[in-house]
Amino acid sequence: MKRLFIVALLLVTTICSAQSTDIAIENVIFFYNATLTDNKDVTCKDFDMDFHINTYDILQANGVIDSMFVRTNEKQLENIDNRNWTYKCEFNITKQQLKKDLINLNIQNLDGNCSIYINKKFVKKYNNSFVDYCDNVKKFLKKGKNTIELRFTPKDSIRMNQRSPQYLYGWDWHPKTLAPRINAIYLTCEDDEPYVNYANIQTKSITLNSDSTYRGEMLLNVHFRKPLKEKHTLRLSKYDSIAYIDNTIGEDVVFTLEPNNSGYYSFDFTIDNARLWYPNLMGEQNLYSANLSVENKSDSYHQRTILFGIRTIELVRDKDSIGESFYFKINGEEFFAKGANYIMTYADPQNDVAMASSANMNMLRIWGGSDYGSDDFFNLCDRYGILVWQDYPFACEMYPTDEQFINNVKQEATQNLMRISTHPSLALICGNNEIWEGWNHWGWKDLVKDTIQAVKDYDYLFKEVLGGIAKQYVPTIDYIHSSPVNHGWGSERSRTHGDCHYWGVWWADSNFETYTHKIPRFASEYGFQGAMNPETAEKYCSHPYTKDNEDFAIHQKHPRGFELIENRIKEWFGDYKDDDQYILYSQLTQQEALKIAVEAHRQHKPYCMGSLFWQFNDPYPSIAWGCIEANGEPKPAYYTAQKVFQPVIFAIDKTCPDSIKIYACSDLATDTVLTFKLKIQNQNDAIHYLHISEKKPLKAQRTILLTSIAYKDIKNFDATKDYLWVEGFYGDEFISDYAFFCYPKDYIDFTKYLEVLDEYYFPEEEE
């Protein structure tokens, strides 16, 4: 196979400073002269890389490949993924820059197997997407023009051997996309001084004082790029506030840095009159800003700013009469976790986090087949009050434990945990996604010769190595070795012990009502697929929207996806007549699945204390589980999440054969008073049952039974014509819910069904 080249000419600018000088990449120019299939060098033109290398974007922007993901164009990716790539660039180094002690090559999120050459000399091989590299390359440089080559070879064909987001190898909602990417690459000139690599502030405990103020017992961790050779002073001082921050830490706090071999230091300090950080809708997202400076006897020569919040977060796993609990406490207060599983991608997370907040969520779980949360993601979650359950990026397979792999993993885990541990939004560190479940329930034991050694290897990687790193660098955050932490969804104990990935409604093809009697202690995964929005389907697919049309079918990655969606559509809505109706019915079934599941989870609080559906975002235009499309637009399921995650909801239980029960579920931090009106009426609005309540007290963080209606007490009740509507107020906040007594296909008036949905989702528009 011939080597394929992209040649880039980079215009470099240099700015000198006393501490660090960036040799920035700007005005990237590519020249195009060949096509991918020619097996010749490929160069491209007029493409603004914006410091980010994405092979697919470069090729698409220059017409080398067709628009990705439109119809069956993604088949071209197979050729791209299996090729060698070389990026070349030129830059200038001045005599003054060469006088600096260090000239560091910095690389962020290099995804692939890459050997770096500077001026034709081999520097280093990089192969971990989760590590930010910083290496002194001064000895390879010369005054004047220099060259860098990034020589990529294809990724390892076995995904477990490659430290890269695992979903890029192809998942049941994403195609295989393995060509190289780099988030940033740049050079810096620095003096050889103690340089703070990472610094974070964590909350150890919070004390309520007699005067009703809070005192925060804090932990400051500082890691230097190189060990200190002499005594220094570390000063933590107040800093100017920004935008949403209106707090300072008050008086300066000074620490002594004695020389050590690790370059890692931890110190305790106290903040009085602390203002606490709370998740979305539970309180304020108070954030602090502190200035950290390193001082010697006569000078302060390194500074950085640390943003942090004061809060405690605890995962409670207590043995009880039922099994084992699984719930979180924030600042000592237990709460119901509401949110979804999140796929960490290369896209800007601003829209996603803002929409999670608007959907009344308080938690996102970064799934183990993706990535560590980026700085931007965590900063946004701090600001919007979204707690983050962070999986280490391991998923659904047994991983190697040889020395080289373990050392690679230690580097990534240490670096990322030191980076993210300052964020008050960080709630939990989890070793992996579904590996322990896979080992125990998916037949993996039959595939290995030595099961005892396999368990030892698992324990070493996920309990000893990764668990130990979590304990060392994030001692204030709980760690679990896998999710689900105890049992797979096929086991009865999965619903009584710990968190549960319940997939009976999808994989086992059960009806949605199954959610009402398969209640876990904490639902950390469950979900149902829905088609992409009509505008997205029109852009990426051709008609008809069926499994027999490859242009459409290629966007369904699950092997049984069409079948399972079809089964629920026929159960709920019967046959559909055209493409538009298929998309409508598919999305309606996804909405109903989510509504039924979350209402059941919240109704059974405090037995169940969390509901994180699969999944929040679709990273690819697909028929899949997400409620947010790859372009950032909401699917109808997003509005369902927004409704069922409101602070107070009604939950309707129709599981009893002779009656209907209506519950009120509150996630408010304070007590409130609820008024409600309930009516059962037919498609012509004739009322067969009416109940108007007086004020009902609703305690904070509780679910109560509001009323129960016997079917025999409903005048002229007819399941094919009647529906239930309940609405009410707590304070000025309006809430509502609905229930039909048969599937829409059996309801006498489908138009009325759609009218009820409109009134439920958009009450202001109805008014």
Side-chain angles (χ1 to χ4, degrees):
M1 181 184 297
K2 290 188 177 181
R3 186 176 296 273
L4 194 62
F5 291 88
I6 292 182
V7 182
L9 173 65
L10 291 89
L11 179 63
V12 178
T13 60
T14 304
I15 304 173
C16 296
S17 71
Q19 293 185 20
S20 175
T21 301
D22 286 357
I23 302 176
I25 297 175
E26 293 182 352
N27 301 328
V28 181
I29 304 172
F30 291 90
F31 301 93
Y32 167 69
N33 64 10
T35 65
L36 183 64
T37 55
D38 285 343
N39 265 341
K40 298 177 181 177
D41 293 354
V42 174
T43 55
C44 307
K45 63 179 179 180
D46 299 332
F47 184 78
D48 183 4
M49 205 166 59
D50 193 24
F51 308 105
H52 178 81
I53 294 174
N54 183 324
T55 304
Y56 304 108
D57 290 347
I58 294 170
L59 295 174
Q60 182 178 327
N62 288 271
V64 181
I65 62 173
D66 294 328
S67 181
M68 287 174 64
F69 309 139
V70 170
R71 300 191 176 185
T72 60
N73 287 353
E74 66 188 66
K75 288 185 174 182
Q76 301 172 98
L77 304 184
E78 298 173 6
N79 291 327
I80 299 171
D81 289 349
N82 296 325
R83 291 176 178 266
N84 297 327
W85 297 89
T86 297
Y87 291 84
K88 292 181 179 179
C89 64
E90 296 178 350
F91 60 94
N92 289 313
I93 293 290
T94 66
K95 181 179 179 180
Q96 184 179 5
Q97 289 169 336
L98 286 172
K99 291 180 180 179
K100 288 286 186 178
D101 299 326
L102 305 173
I103 301 181
N104 289 322
L105 176 66
N106 301 271
I107 305 175
Q108 296 176 358
N109 298 119
L110 186 152
D111 188 17
N113 295 318
C114 181
S115 296
I116 303 288
Y117 290 79
I118 295 180
N119 295 326
K120 302 296 184 181
K121 296 178 180 178
F122 175 73
V123 176
K124 188 176 180 180
K125 184 173 183 178
Y126 302 86
N127 63 357
N128 193 324
S129 170
F130 308 124
V131 172
D132 286 349
Y133 294 100
C134 180
D135 292 295
N136 182 18
V137 296
K138 180 179 177 179
K139 66 181 181 181
F140 298 99
L141 301 173
K142 61 184 180 181
K143 179 184 175 183
K145 186 174 74 173
N146 291 256
T147 62
I148 292 182
E149 288 187 35
L150 290 72
R151 300 180 185 177
F152 287 92
T153 56
K155 288 182 179 178
D156 196 305
S157 60
I158 302 174
R159 69 172 173 85
M160 298 81 71
N161 296 336
Q162 186 78 47
R163 295 309 293 145
S164 173
Q166 300 287 270
Y167 78 92
L168 297 179
Y169 276 80
W171 222 264
D172 56 11
W173 38 265
H174 197 276
K176 186 170 75 169
T177 51
L178 299 180
R181 307 173 200 244
I182 303 176
N183 191 47
I185 179 168
Y186 56 96
L187 294 164
T188 54
C189 299
E190 301 172 7
D191 295 322
D192 190 13
E193 299 171 339
Y195 181 85
V196 177
N197 214 10
Y198 296 99
N200 61 71
I201 294 175
Q202 304 174 40
T203 309
K204 296 179 66 176
S205 64
I206 296 170
T207 302
L208 178 62
N209 299 318
S210 58
D211 61 356
S212 297
T213 61
Y214 292 99
R215 182 176 72 253
E217 302 297 333
M218 313 303 294
L219 177 66
L220 169 66
N221 296 314
V222 182
H223 179 257
F224 288 84
R225 184 175 293 176
K226 56 180 293 186
L228 301 180
K229 296 180 180 180
E230 58 184 30
K231 183 184 293 187
H232 286 73
T233 297
L234 192 69
R235 182 178 299 274
L236 194 65
S237 58
K238 63 184 180 180
Y239 192 75
D240 293 338
S241 62
I242 62 173
Y244 54 97
I245 299 172
D246 58 0
N247 300 303
T248 62
I249 66 169
E251 299 299 321
D252 290 2
V253 186
V254 179
F255 309 98
T256 299
L257 300 172
E258 298 288 351
N260 70 22
N261 293 325
S262 69
Y264 187 76
Y265 298 85
S266 293
F267 302 99
D268 294 334
F269 69 100
T270 300
I271 297 180
D272 293 317
N273 299 311
R275 296 180 61 180
L276 306 187
W277 184 96
Y278 279 94
N280 187 30
L281 301 178
M282 289 188 66
E284 298 294 326
Q285 286 75 57
N286 293 304
L287 293 171
Y288 283 74
S289 174
N291 188 48
L292 186 72
S293 60
V294 182
E295 304 170 356
N296 58 19
K297 295 179 181 179
S298 59
D299 191 19
S300 173
Y301 54 78
H302 182 77
Q303 297 184 351
R304 70 183 302 150
T305 301
I306 308 175
L307 303 182
F308 65 99
I310 303 174
R311 64 91 188 91
T312 58
I313 184 75
E314 176 188 3
L315 174 63
V316 180
R317 296 175 58 198
D318 290 336
K319 302 292 184 182
D320 55 28
S321 61
I322 304 165
E324 182 183 276
S325 67
F326 193 104
Y327 66 90
F328 291 90
K329 285 185 176 181
I330 187 81
N331 301 326
E333 302 173 23
E334 61 184 60
F335 67 96
F336 191 96
K338 299 181 294 189
N341 287 260
Y342 188 74
I343 313 302
M344 197 70 221
T345 70
Y346 297 97
D348 184 350
Q350 169 70 50
N351 179 73
D352 288 349
V353 177
M355 292 190 73
S357 174
S358 296
N360 301 304
M361 296 181 178
N362 58 30
M363 183 175 285
L364 291 173
R365 173 189 174 223
I366 300 181
W367 172 69
S370 57
D371 204 337
Y372 297 91
S374 66
D375 291 337
D376 287 344
F377 177 81
F378 271 102
N379 287 333
L380 288 163
C381 288
D382 292 343
R383 182 172 183 176
Y384 282 98
I386 304 299
L387 289 164
V388 180
W389 167 331
Q390 173 72 70
D391 281 4
Y392 280 118
F394 299 86
C396 303
E397 191 57 83
M398 298 296 280
Y399 285 78
T401 55
D402 59 88
E403 183 178 5
Q404 182 178 359
F405 185 85
I406 291 295
N407 288 338
N408 205 359
V409 166
K410 284 180 178 179
Q411 182 183 12
E412 78 170 60
T414 299
Q415 185 182 102
N416 280 285
L417 263 58
M418 284 196 293
R419 176 178 61 84
I420 68 178
S421 56
T422 197
H423 294 280
S425 55
L426 181 63
L428 181 69
I429 303 293
C430 174
N432 64 72
N433 174 77
E434 294 183 347
I435 296 179
W436 189 239
E437 176 178 354
W439 172 254
N440 286 292
H441 300 104
W442 296 354
W444 294 359
K445 295 177 183 178
D446 299 332
L447 304 177
V448 300
K449 294 180 179 179
D450 189 339
T451 57
I452 295 175
Q453 185 60 47
V455 172
K456 287 182 179 179
D457 289 344
Y458 175 92
D459 288 346
Y460 175 61
L461 175 56
F462 293 111
K463 295 181 180 180
E464 183 177 338
V465 173
L466 293 175
I469 290 172
K471 184 176 181 180
Q472 179 178 358
Y473 295 108
V474 203
T476 61
I477 299 294
D478 286 302
Y479 175 80
I480 58 175
H481 67 88
S482 186
S483 179
V485 69
N486 287 319
H487 306 281
W489 65 265
S491 164
E492 282 294 324
R493 290 168 66 87
S494 69
R495 296 188 296 280
T496 57
H497 293 70
D499 72 315
C500 175
H501 295 192
Y502 182 69
W503 285 106
V505 167
W506 179 258
W507 282 99
D509 199 14
S510 299
N511 61 35
F512 296 157
E513 287 78 10
T514 308
Y515 284 129
T516 65
H517 58 270
K518 300 285 188 179
I519 308 294
R521 307 300 296 270
F522 190 106
S524 49
E525 269 193 29
Y526 63 93
F528 197 82
Q529 286 192 351
M532 60 188 76
N533 287 333
E535 300 82 5
T536 304
E538 194 69 30
K539 178 178 179 180
Y540 288 98
C541 309
S542 66
H543 297 274
Y545 300 153
T546 71
K547 62 184 178 181
D548 298 320
N549 175 15
E550 188 180 11
D551 287 354
F552 184 69
I554 199 170
H555 295 270
Q556 168 59 272
K557 299 300 182 185
H558 193 280
R560 295 174 60 214
F562 282 117
E563 170 198 346
L564 296 169
I565 293 173
E566 187 92 357
N567 290 346
R568 295 289 80 75
I569 287 178
K570 289 188 178 298
E571 181 179 58
W572 276 73
F573 302 105
D575 294 325
Y576 48 89
K577 62 183 181 181
D578 55 30
D579 291 352
D580 291 339
Q581 204 166 66
Y582 173 79
I583 287 182
L584 171 65
Y585 288 174
S586 169
Q587 293 187 331
L588 285 173
T589 55
Q590 185 183 28
Q591 288 185 278
E592 294 288 1
L594 182 58
K595 179 179 183 294
I596 291 170
V598 177
E599 284 188 14
H601 296 157
R602 294 185 67 181
Q603 175 191 321
H604 285 81
K605 180 181 177 179
Y607 173 86
C608 177
M609 286 296 287
S611 187
L612 308 180
F613 66 87
W614 182 270
Q615 62 203 57
F616 187 73
N617 56 323
D618 286 331
Y620 157 79
S622 58
I623 308 143
W625 288 273
C627 69
I628 300 292
E629 294 205 300
N631 61 6
E633 292 298 316
K635 291 163 66 174
Y638 173 80
Y639 299 105
T640 303
Q642 196 172 50
K643 292 291 291 188
V644 296
F645 285 151
Q646 290 179 112
V648 178
I649 65 165
F650 297 116
I652 301 168
D653 182 1
K654 301 185 297 176
T655 59
C656 296
D658 58 356
S659 62
I660 314 160
K661 295 179 180 179
I662 292 84
Y663 294 85
C665 311
S666 173
D667 289 331
L668 297 173
T670 57
D671 297 346
T672 189
V673 174
L674 180 70
T675 60
F676 71 96
K677 178 173 69 174
L678 182 154
K679 57 186 177 181
I680 296 175
Q681 59 192 54
N682 66 17
Q683 81 279 9
N684 296 319
D685 298 326
I687 296 176
H688 294 166
Y689 185 93
L690 179 65
H691 177 89
I692 300 176
S693 80
E694 297 179 355
K695 294 180 178 179
K696 285 266 188 178
L698 184 57
K699 288 190 174 296
Q701 299 288 346
R702 289 294 179 266
T703 291
I704 63 169
L705 176 64
L706 290 175
T707 187
S708 180
I709 308 166
Y711 284 111
K712 65 181 179 61
D713 294 334
I714 304 172
K715 182 181 178 181
N716 300 322
F717 176 70
D718 185 341
T720 65
K721 297 180 181 179
D722 295 346
Y723 70 93
L724 183 153
W725 178 261
V726 57
E727 63 184 37
F729 287 88
Y730 64 98
D732 296 329
E733 296 295 325
F734 175 80
I735 54 174
S736 63
D737 202 359
Y738 68 88
F740 288 84
F741 301 100
C742 61
Y743 289 134
K745 68 180 175 60
D746 302 318
Y747 189 65
I748 199 166
D749 189 346
F750 187 72
T751 301
K752 174 59 70 172
Y753 169 78
L754 295 178
E755 288 178 1
V756 172
L757 265 61
D758 283 343
E759 187 175 0
Y760 173 68
Y761 287 110
F762 307 108
E764 293 182 358
E765 293 184 13
E766 288 295 309
E767 292 174 2

